[in-house]
Amino acid sequence: MQDAKIVGGPLDGKIMDLSGGWHDAGDYIKFMITITNTTYFLLFAYKENPELFSDNYLADGMPGKNNIPDVLDEAKYGLDFIMKMHPEKNVLLYQVGGEEDHATFRLPFNDIANYKTKPYRPAYYGAGANICGRAAASLALAYTIWKEKLNNENYAKKCLKHAKEIFRLGKKNMFAIDSNPDEYYNENTFYDDMELGAIELYKATKNDLYLKLAQTYAMKCGSGKGWLDWGTINFIAHYELYPYASSFTKELLKNYMKDDLEKNFSIYKNNPFGMSVEYVWGSMSVLTGTFIKGVLYKKLFGDKKYDEMTLSARDYLLGKNPWGVCFIVGYGYNYPKNVHGQIPQLLKKEVFGTPIEGPLSQKEFSSLGIRLSGKDRYAKFNSPIAVYHDNKEDYSSNEMTIFQGALTLTMFSFLSTDKKCKDKVPYIRK
């Protein structure tokens, strides 16, 4: 409730209501870098398969119906926060909270972190095209959904107004802005985000200028080189642009998307467990992205080449891996029990349905200087190639993140359309 006091820019020192939004992971920082990504994928999952999403809860999470699919209630939580972080036409804030947040574990209503702006948390001023593009894309897609699916013209127009203004800010700031400090989220690409923002605005407005910009940005960003995660969304931008692009651009987009998947395929062919991404910090979010890319590529082009790799990504996430661990808490029998995060550790509760980051290379893990506590029950399955620790101290392999949650929801929305899966309901721990 102490969010926030603005740091930097024309509103420096102003106290504003910036409550809402999602805490990023095991901490309580609110990053626009990941909130814009999370919001977009919640909306994207609904857009692709709207018939799958039910209305069993109110916007505050209590049981009941409000004539809005629950996934859109959740997306609106992100949309409302994004609009709060854009308080004026030419002002964008990119983060609430900072490195002080990591100093101590506490529940969010007992925030004793030593912020320089105390008793308020800081809200940092700055607009980068990476955040502006994803924010504009989320708001423009929301316009289409709220107008066409929910018949809420007022909220739709509000989203579109912010989308246009934030996109213009992106055009004025064609660079990527990092988190504060930058080691949390260091992003150096932005053309993919601006391409996605432009094509979603084109679909919302039918203004050819946005389509022209989207095609220009597409050629500048090219292939995602095997990546789809919190920052690299080249494939999704190309997928959204493809139906509207010129013949020449369509050929380029197809080549970019194919190159992206070929990078995964080359890794997949040499991994006995069917892993198709590098063992990096956050590998399971990138692997979830591989599944999504495989599904979308087949949807566009009917190409079955990547079917086996796509399903192997699903299987690796759900337990067909060297540790025999399903990397989604509460799913199946063997899953993470000691997730790194303040809420699960302080309340001694499992965060059911939450995906965690998964294995990374021994070299990268060692470079972080993490000291594990207690016994490592998976030690005998670790190797110089990859390690995973079901340990509360390991923020590199055992922490939950909001963007991975949205990617996982998107993955399951595509799995739910497979008739072969409908009669095979997996055991979920109650």
Side-chain angles (χ1 to χ4, degrees):
M1 299 306 293
Q2 299 299 319
D3 293 345
K5 187 174 184 178
I6 297 178
V7 176
L11 302 181
D12 185 52
K14 184 175 181 179
I15 296 166
M16 293 184 58
D17 173 16
L18 295 175
S19 57
W22 301 292
H23 299 143
D24 182 63
D27 55 10
Y28 300 137
I29 306 176
K30 298 189 291 195
F31 298 101
M32 283 280 274
I33 279 183
T34 53
I35 285 175
T36 53
N37 179 290
T38 303
T39 304
Y40 183 82
F41 276 100
L42 292 174
L43 296 168
F44 180 80
Y46 174 81
K47 175 185 78 76
E48 290 292 300
N49 298 295
E51 71 284 353
L52 295 177
F53 294 96
S54 57
D55 174 22
N56 295 317
Y57 294 88
L58 304 176
D60 62 3
M62 298 302 291
K65 295 184 183 295
N66 62 355
N67 297 315
I68 299 176
D70 299 326
V71 70
L72 297 184
D73 279 326
E74 193 68 27
K76 186 175 182 295
Y77 202 66
L79 292 164
D80 288 345
F81 181 75
I82 292 170
M83 289 188 279
K84 277 188 174 185
M85 295 288 276
H86 178 231
E88 294 184 5
K89 185 177 180 179
N90 294 309
V91 174
L92 190 70
L93 308 171
Y94 69 91
Q95 182 175 318
V96 174
E99 61 184 333
E100 300 92 340
D101 178 89
H102 286 198
T104 180
F105 267 34
R106 76 282 185 204
L107 291 173
F109 50 79
N110 185 31
D111 195 346
I112 56 173
N114 191 28
Y115 297 110
K116 295 182 179 70
T117 52
K118 64 182 183 181
Y120 301 97
R121 296 212 296 173
Y124 294 102
Y125 165 83
N130 54 332
I131 295 175
C132 290
R134 289 200 294 272
S138 300
L139 292 161
L141 179 53
Y143 166 81
T144 303
I145 292 172
W146 260 260
K147 182 182 178 183
E148 296 180 1
K149 298 290 187 179
L150 302 181
N151 298 313
N152 187 335
E153 190 85 22
N154 289 336
Y155 189 75
K157 287 181 177 178
K158 181 181 178 183
C159 288
L160 186 59
K161 178 179 180 293
H162 282 274
K164 290 178 178 178
E165 292 178 357
I166 292 174
F167 187 79
R168 281 197 291 270
L169 278 176
K171 286 173 63 182
K172 293 177 182 177
N173 297 275
M174 292 296 281
F175 55 84
I177 193 169
D178 298 325
S179 64
N180 186 358
D182 61 7
E183 63 257 32
Y184 296 162
Y185 289 103
N186 190 308
E187 189 169 8
N188 54 26
T189 61
F190 54 87
Y191 283 117
D192 53 337
D193 309 296
M194 290 297 285
E195 177 191 350
L196 187 60
I199 190 56
E200 294 296 356
L201 277 164
Y202 171 72
K203 290 192 289 182
T205 65
K206 301 301 184 287
N207 184 334
D208 288 339
L209 176 61
Y210 290 122
L211 179 58
K212 183 178 179 180
L213 284 170
Q215 294 183 105
T216 299
Y217 295 145
M219 287 185 279
K220 288 181 179 292
C221 74
S223 165
K225 304 295 183 184
W227 286 74
L228 173 62
D229 65 343
W230 57 268
T232 307
I233 55 170
N234 304 47
F235 195 101
I236 298 298
H238 299 336
Y239 172 81
E240 288 294 281
L241 172 58
Y242 187 85
Y244 306 94
S246 67
S247 298
F248 173 76
T249 306
K250 278 186 174 181
E251 193 63 31
L252 285 176
L253 295 174
K254 183 177 181 180
N255 289 337
Y256 293 153
M257 288 186 274
K258 186 174 183 64
D259 177 78
D260 199 329
L261 280 166
E262 283 294 319
K263 293 294 188 294
N264 300 119
F265 196 65
S266 64
I267 299 171
Y268 166 74
K269 288 188 296 185
N270 296 302
N271 189 293
F273 289 92
M275 181 69 157
S276 51
V277 303
E278 300 288 350
Y279 286 106
V280 294
W281 187 349
S283 63
M284 290 301 96
S285 66
V286 187
L287 189 63
T288 308
T290 301
F291 175 92
I292 294 168
K293 291 186 300 184
V295 169
L296 297 179
Y297 191 84
K298 184 177 180 180
K299 185 176 179 179
L300 276 182
F301 306 114
D303 191 339
K304 297 181 180 180
K305 176 179 179 179
Y306 306 109
D307 281 5
E308 191 177 285
M309 180 183 73
T310 302
L311 294 178
S312 290
R314 173 201 67 184
D315 293 346
Y316 195 105
L317 285 158
L318 297 181
K320 189 179 178 182
N321 55 59
W323 303 269
V325 173
C326 173
F327 292 116
I328 301 174
V329 178
Y331 207 81
Y333 296 93
N334 194 33
Y335 57 84
K337 303 292 199 302
N338 297 293
V339 175
H340 176 85
Q342 302 190 60
I343 296 299
Q345 291 303 321
L346 292 172
L347 297 184
K348 307 299 181 187
K349 291 182 180 292
E350 292 181 323
V351 281
F352 294 124
T354 299
I356 56 95
E357 293 158 314
L360 71 166
S361 72
Q362 176 69 63
K363 182 179 179 181
E364 185 173 12
F365 173 76
S366 298
S367 73
L368 297 172
I370 296 172
R371 294 187 177 183
L372 301 177
S373 60
K375 200 172 181 181
D376 181 5
R377 64 186 181 126
Y378 294 113
K380 63 183 178 181
F381 304 109
N382 289 330
S383 72
I385 297 171
V387 298
Y388 165 69
H389 309 105
D390 185 12
N391 191 289
K392 66 181 182 180
E393 306 296 342
D394 189 358
Y395 55 80
S396 65
S397 76
N398 211 39
E399 185 174 13
M400 67 266 195
T401 61
I402 56 170
F403 65 87
Q404 189 174 341
L407 285 171
T408 304
L409 180 143
T410 303
M411 180 187 81
F412 276 110
S413 72
F414 284 115
L415 285 171
S416 298
T417 65
D418 184 345
K419 293 180 181 178
K420 294 178 183 177
C421 295
K422 287 185 177 178
D423 296 327
K424 299 177 182 178
V425 180
Y427 171 79
I428 301 177
R429 186 179 183 278
K430 301 296 183 185

